[in-house]
Amino acid sequence: MSVPEAKVALSTASVYPESTATAFEIAARLGYDGVEVMVWTDPVSQDVEALRRLSDYHGVPVLAVHAPCLLITQRVWSTDPWTKLQRARSAAERLGASTVVVHPPFRWQRSYARDFVRGVWRMADETDVRFAVENMYPWRYRDREMLAYAPDWDPTTEDFRHFTVDLSHTATARNDALEMVGRMGDRLAHVHLADGNGSAKDEHLVPGRGTQPCAALLERLAASGFTGHVVVEVNTRRSLSAAEREADLAEALAFTRLHLASAARVGRR
């Protein structure tokens, strides 16, 4: 059995509320191929030299940088969204990462949203780093929906060069993950692997514990020769101990490698 080219990375968000440094340590111990750095309020996640030292010390490369697009990171790396993307690109270039993950703008970021599609293309033309726009979801309260993102929470409605698919987000949006991946086609560059049950909350369950087609997606990617990154981005904040958190992350890694490898074996036959 040969191993597919797609690398399996650990998102540093998967160890929250533990630190970015802890994510590197766990990724090395469990045998992940690298990490995706979620740039957020942890000062280490914002410091390229600190990240480089962690990468070198643990022997774990940084494969992707997630730009600070969350509500809680509105003041991280400036309040200007384009400055955030420029700094994310610079960090990726300096760390040797191939991908910057970015969310669609919030609707109240009117100027940014208006120029977002053209601006992402313009920035992508200036670098070898891929800007992979991630699918989000409508915000729900009881029976009401609020469209929080512009141009849309579904980036496939626009002409982006690269996409990230997040299976926890497809669960929250209650849409068909495999159909969305089909629309992305060969522009799918990056995967956030997690699970969900269709709750209004963004669950980020360990793959295999929800209703999303995590196994089917991995098998499709391997059979098609996908060479991007598969990033485990799960929620372990309710873990009762460090050992429980690490067990969940080990399970997620085993699940991912199993279905990538089984698909590669079937494809050769």
Side-chain angles (χ1 to χ4, degrees), residues 25-194:
E25 180 183 344
I26 292 175
R29 188 158 54 244
L30 295 181
Y32 278 85
D33 297 318
V35 301
E36 175 181 304
V37 173
M38 171 68 79
V39 180
W40 67 299
T41 55
D42 179 353
V44 172
S45 73
Q46 305 170 30
D47 186 331
V48 174
E49 289 308 313
L51 293 169
R52 192 198 307 277
R53 289 193 295 271
L54 283 169
S55 177
D56 291 344
Y57 179 79
H58 292 288
V60 175
V62 176
L63 301 180
V65 174
H66 195 309
C69 306
L70 305 175
L71 284 174
I72 64 169
T73 60
Q74 290 298 290
R75 296 187 177 277
V76 172
W77 279 359
S78 166
T79 56
D80 176 63
W82 291 116
T83 300
K84 292 172 183 285
L85 292 193
Q86 290 164 358
R87 293 191 62 172
R89 178 185 65 190
S90 175
E93 290 170 342
R94 292 167 63 188
L95 292 166
S98 65
T99 304
V100 167
V101 179
V102 57
H103 292 179
F106 292 113
R107 295 188 75 84
W108 55 83
Q109 296 174 306
R110 294 181 181 178
S111 174
Y112 179 48
R114 191 164 47 246
D115 195 42
F116 183 65
V117 178
R118 293 188 300 272
V120 169
W121 269 97
R122 186 168 56 248
M123 293 187 71
D125 285 338
E126 298 170 352
T127 180
D128 291 331
V129 173
R130 298 175 295 191
F131 284 86
V133 183
E134 183 175 0
N135 63 301
M136 299 305 290
Y137 47 85
W139 291 3
R140 291 191 179 93
Y141 178 70
R142 295 181 179 174
D143 295 328
R144 295 184 177 182
E145 287 190 358
M146 184 177 89
L147 300 179
Y149 299 97
D152 200 331
W153 58 263
D154 179 355
T156 64
T157 63
E158 299 290 341
D159 180 27
F160 293 109
R161 183 177 295 177
H162 294 111
F163 294 112
T164 296
V165 68
D166 184 305
L167 270 70
S168 179
H169 295 174
T170 59
T172 304
R174 300 172 189 168
N175 62 351
D176 186 325
L178 295 179
E179 195 271 336
M180 173 174 277
V181 166
R183 293 199 307 275
M184 292 177 173
D186 59 8
R187 291 180 292 169
L188 176 62
H190 203 68
V191 175
H192 281 169
L193 191 67

Side-chain angles (χ1 to χ4, degrees), residues 210-227:
T211 61
Q212 293 303 286
C214 297
L217 173 61
L218 292 170
E219 291 165 7
R220 176 187 287 193
L221 293 176
S224 67
F226 179 71
T227 58

Side-chain angles (χ1 to χ4, degrees), residues 206 209 236 238-250:
V206 171
R209 298 184 186 178
T236 64
R238 294 187 178 179
S239 299
L240 299 178
S241 66
E244 183 178 334
R245 172 177 291 108
E246 196 160 321
D248 282 348
L249 297 178

